[in-house]
Amino acid sequence: MEKALALKSKMMNHPSLKRGTLSPKSWVTTENLKGFKEFILHKESDMGTDTSFDNVEMLLDTERDYMEAAKKNDIATMKLLGKSVNVNAKNVHDRTALHYAVAGRNKEAVELLLRRRAKLDLPDKHGVTAIHLAAWFGSLDILKLLVQGGAEQKVENQEGMNIMHCAAVNNHTDIVQYIVNDLQMKSLDKEDQTGNRPFALAAQHGCEEMLELLMEEPYSMATMEGDQNGNTPLHLAAKNGHLDVVQLLLRSFDTRDTVNKAGETALYLAVEGEHEDCVQALLDAGCDVNIVTAEKSSCLHPVSEKGHTPLVKLLIENGVDMNFQNQHQQAALHLAVKNSHIPVLHTLLESGCNVNVTDHRGQTALHIAAELGMVDIVEMILKTGTDLAIQDKQGKTALGVAARADMVIIVDMIIKAERYFAWQAGVENNETLHDEYPLTFKLDHRMETRQIRTTLWNLAYKLFKAHDWKTLARHWLFTEEQVAAIEEQWTGLKSYQEHGNRMMLIWLHGALYTHKSAAKALHEALLSVGNKSAADKIRLETTGVEAKKCTVS
């Protein structure tokens, strides 16, 4: 593994891995040429160390040494082995010494092999011949030698790529000029098996100079036709983040809103690939930000799902429909919540998205956050004043979902929100205390409420009987659904103690926001429900004054 990683590191830092010559992307998309990385890097021979039967190397030692010499341009060794070696011997990949010499741009070795009458058109297991490699690696001198030696110029590999395709992928404009002007073979401008012409391949790999050449006379090979998937050159450039090419194509052609077979625009692919500069260029060119794909995905969906906040902001600024729902009826808000992308969620909420939109399960973003136990996200959504009465297709509100999932903290937060917004709705001029107490529905850990919270705990755990907390809850107008949600948590035969404590902390949250004296209100409530004993003990604990007893004189 260490050896493989070291090789990969060296390969990625090799001078030949430059834009327009031998790019990593080119290797990925042109899988049939992948094996030649080792050739250009002069690292290990790909003649194989696998000793399995299928891959066993059937070469003589002299043949192996001859290939290694060709690979290194070691003319002395090649001459020394002389006529005793078969120059056309193949390794397990069906590659000959000529393949290695051409891939290494070793002109002297190629000349020697041509004098030895090496066969020029032998394909390797991917259908790659020496002339493909000369075009791919941009060796015009070697390409000319092969042509002069009689190499087949129209040969295609297994992917239907000819020498013009190979040159276009790697930005070798001199190779294309030679093909068109000297060989008079403009007919090589044809589709490969994926439906891409050289112009499209150049766009896909960011070869701006090649595109400019192909758009000129006498070449005139520019085409914006789509490939087998309907992707135009603009799609391919945008998908791979080639800004210069995107800008060139936008200036030269009016295909900015063309869709491929999946209904994707170039803008959608740039967004999906998170190429911010390309997205900006496409938006500046007037691309329609609200064209949706065949699967009803808008540009906003993939970046909301991935959590790319700058792109979310950019799309919103350019008028994207924040509330558009995909084939699963999910809006961008649902995807941001599911993947816990808080900055994206904040952006969507601040921009005024519909927080009450429901998905295919009838769930709002709050339902999803409650079910997954996302406390911070629940807090953000609750502060928007979302509709807490919305039921999903199972008839569950967000409170019911949280209770079923045993998300105790979230259950209490939602009940606090329900009671707070019900109170706020009845207050004249929508009075709030946000300046004094910043609105929050999370657990209260403030020092200034510590004493009253301790009193409530003592009341719940030391003074309440099993049903006392419910009596007090109904006095404070807790709904039956709220009581049931609190009671859903089961911790044993004395669960009522925890239930009572939670219920009173929820009540305390509202009391503080409505200017009530919590201790006085608690005392009055206990008296109202007929629990004078508990009321007296609470009064003594909070004020230190015993209730006066009435006497008859």
Side-chain angles (χ1 to χ4, degrees):
M1 177 62 73
E2 292 179 0
K3 189 175 184 181
L5 290 174
L7 173 59
K8 180 178 180 182
S9 176
K10 182 174 181 180
M11 288 164 55
M12 295 305 293
N13 291 298
H14 193 274
S16 64
L17 287 175
K18 295 179 180 178
R19 180 176 174 270
T21 55
L22 177 59
S23 68
K25 289 182 180 178
S26 299
W27 286 118
V28 172
T29 56
T30 312
E31 190 69 23
N32 53 356
L33 293 169
K34 190 173 182 180
F36 287 106
K37 290 180 183 178
E38 291 83 0
F39 301 167
I40 194 66
L41 297 176
H42 301 292
K43 182 60 179 174
E44 295 182 7
S45 168
D46 73 342
M47 287 185 274
T49 56
D50 189 345
T51 57
S52 65
F53 179 80
D54 289 339
N55 288 337
V56 63
E57 197 68 75
M58 302 298 292
L59 287 173
L60 299 175
D61 290 342
T62 53
E63 293 169 342
R64 185 190 302 272
D65 293 341
Y66 195 82
M67 284 189 185
E68 283 294 327
K71 180 179 179 181
K72 299 174 182 177
N73 206 30
D74 183 356
I75 304 302
T77 298
M78 293 177 72
K79 288 181 177 179
L80 180 64
L81 292 173
K83 297 180 180 180
S84 63
V85 67
N86 176 12
V87 299
N88 296 314
K90 298 180 179 181
N91 66 8
V92 292
H93 304 295
D94 289 338
R95 293 164 185 158
T96 67
L98 184 60
H99 283 93
Y100 289 93
V102 174
R105 300 167 61 100
N106 301 328
K107 183 178 178 181
E108 293 83 358
V110 172
E111 289 174 331
L112 180 57
L113 287 165
L114 291 179
R115 290 196 297 270
R116 289 290 314 277
R117 298 187 181 279
K119 294 181 180 180
L120 305 184
D121 298 323
L122 292 177
D124 72 0
K125 66 179 183 180
H126 300 295
V128 176
T129 67
I131 200 169
H132 284 111
L133 295 170
W136 181 272
F137 291 108
S139 180
L140 181 57
D141 288 343
I142 291 178
L143 181 64
K144 289 179 178 179
L145 287 174
L146 295 172
V147 170
Q148 292 165 7
E152 172 57 50
Q153 300 156 32
K154 296 181 179 180
V155 64
E156 297 179 357
N157 67 8
Q158 291 179 358
E159 292 187 345
M161 294 180 67
N162 58 42
I163 56 176
M164 188 178 288
H165 293 106
C166 292
V169 164
N170 292 288
N171 215 24
H172 298 314
T173 54
D174 57 341
I175 299 289
V176 172
Q177 288 172 329
Y178 172 71
I179 293 171
V180 175
N181 299 331
D182 295 280
L183 298 182
Q184 295 293 302
M185 296 190 68
K186 190 176 177 181
S187 60
L188 294 182
D189 176 28
K190 56 189 298 188
E191 294 181 355
D192 64 10
Q193 289 188 1
T194 63
N196 281 320
R197 291 177 178 269
F199 188 81
L201 291 176
Q204 181 179 10
H205 295 278
C207 302
E208 184 181 7
E209 295 82 0
M210 179 64 68
L211 293 173
E212 290 173 340
L213 175 71
L214 296 179
M215 286 190 288
E216 296 174 355
E217 293 289 346
Y219 306 97
S220 302
M221 299 180 194
T223 174
M224 294 301 284
E225 294 180 3
D227 60 16
Q228 289 181 347
N229 296 316
N231 289 313
T232 67
L234 183 60
H235 282 93
L236 300 174
K239 180 178 182 179
N240 290 286
H242 300 308
L243 176 61
D244 292 342
V245 171
V246 167
Q247 292 174 327
L248 173 64
L249 295 175
L250 287 172
R251 290 194 302 268
S252 306
F253 305 94
D254 186 16
T255 59
R256 59 184 181 272
D257 288 331
T258 301
V259 297
N260 62 17
K261 290 184 178 179
E264 300 161 336
T265 61
L267 175 62
Y268 184 91
L269 293 179
V271 168
E272 189 176 45
E274 301 179 21
H275 304 303
E276 291 183 50
D277 50 359
C278 289
V279 171
Q280 184 67 68
L282 289 160
L283 290 172
D284 290 344
C287 289
D288 188 342
V289 74
N290 285 311
I291 295 177
V292 299
T293 69
E295 294 186 349
K296 294 189 67 178
S297 175
S298 79
C299 291
L300 193 57
H301 284 97
V303 286
S304 297
E305 186 171 15
K306 294 177 181 178
H308 200 297
T309 308
L311 277 178
V312 170
K313 291 180 178 179
L314 183 59
L315 293 172
I316 291 174
E317 290 169 0
N318 283 272
V320 72
D321 182 355
M322 291 184 289
N323 303 315
F324 184 82
Q325 295 170 265
N326 63 17
Q327 62 179 345
H328 300 298
Q329 295 298 301
Q330 295 169 321
L333 184 66
H334 291 106
L335 298 176
V337 169
K338 277 188 174 182
N339 292 280
S340 194
H341 296 313
I342 291 180
V344 171
L345 176 62
H346 177 76
T347 299
L348 292 168
L349 294 176
E350 285 290 307
S351 301
C353 72
N354 180 7
V355 74
N356 294 318
V357 64
T358 58
D359 64 12
H360 62 294
R361 297 194 299 169
Q363 294 195 325
T364 64
L366 183 60
H367 281 89
I368 296 169
E371 185 174 2
L372 297 177
M374 298 174 171
V375 173
D376 289 335
I377 290 178
V378 167
E379 169 92 340
M380 293 175 66
I381 297 174
L382 287 176
K383 287 183 179 181
T384 67
T386 183
D387 186 349
L388 299 174
I390 295 176
Q391 297 181 353
D392 62 17
K393 290 186 176 180
Q394 293 183 340
K396 296 283 188 181
T397 62
L399 176 61
V401 168
R404 180 182 59 193
D406 200 28
M407 300 298 177
V408 174
I409 294 176
I410 292 177
V411 166
D412 295 355
M413 289 173 66
I414 293 175
I415 297 175
K416 288 176 185 177
E418 287 178 333
R419 292 173 60 81
Y420 171 80
F421 287 115
W423 164 77
Q424 190 183 56
V427 175
E428 292 184 5
N429 300 322
N430 207 29
E431 177 187 358
T432 65
L433 299 180
H434 291 180
D435 291 337
E436 184 177 354
Y437 299 110
L439 182 62
T440 180
F441 300 106
K442 293 182 179 180
L443 293 173
D444 186 355
H445 297 294
R446 291 175 295 164
M447 287 299 299
E448 55 265 38
T449 62
R450 182 175 180 178
Q451 182 178 353
I452 185 63
R453 287 188 286 110
T454 300
T455 297
L456 297 179
W457 188 91
N458 288 332
L459 180 59
Y461 280 87
K462 296 179 180 180
L463 300 179
F464 271 177
K465 296 179 182 179
H467 296 287
D468 287 349
W469 75 272
K470 288 186 181 180
T471 302
L472 193 57
R474 293 185 177 100
H475 173 75
W476 280 329
L477 303 180
F478 279 72
T479 68
E480 290 304 316
E481 183 184 10
Q482 291 169 348
V483 171
I486 294 172
E487 198 173 24
E488 184 82 13
Q489 181 198 25
W490 174 257
T491 59
L493 294 177
K494 293 188 177 182
S495 293
Y496 66 89
Q497 295 174 335
E498 175 67 12
H499 298 157
N501 186 49
R502 285 171 53 201
M503 182 274 297
M504 288 188 290
L505 289 175
I506 293 170
W507 164 81
L508 177 63
H509 174 273
L512 295 175
Y513 277 109
T514 55
H515 290 282
K516 290 182 179 179
S517 168
K520 180 181 179 181
L522 177 62
H523 181 263
E524 292 174 350
L526 290 170
L527 290 175
S528 296
V529 298
N531 198 337
K532 186 175 183 302
S533 174
D536 290 343
K537 289 182 180 180
I538 291 302
R539 177 169 182 159
L540 178 63
E541 182 175 325
T542 55
T543 66
V545 178
E546 291 189 45
K548 295 181 179 179
K549 296 182 180 179
C550 295
T551 58
V552 178
S553 58

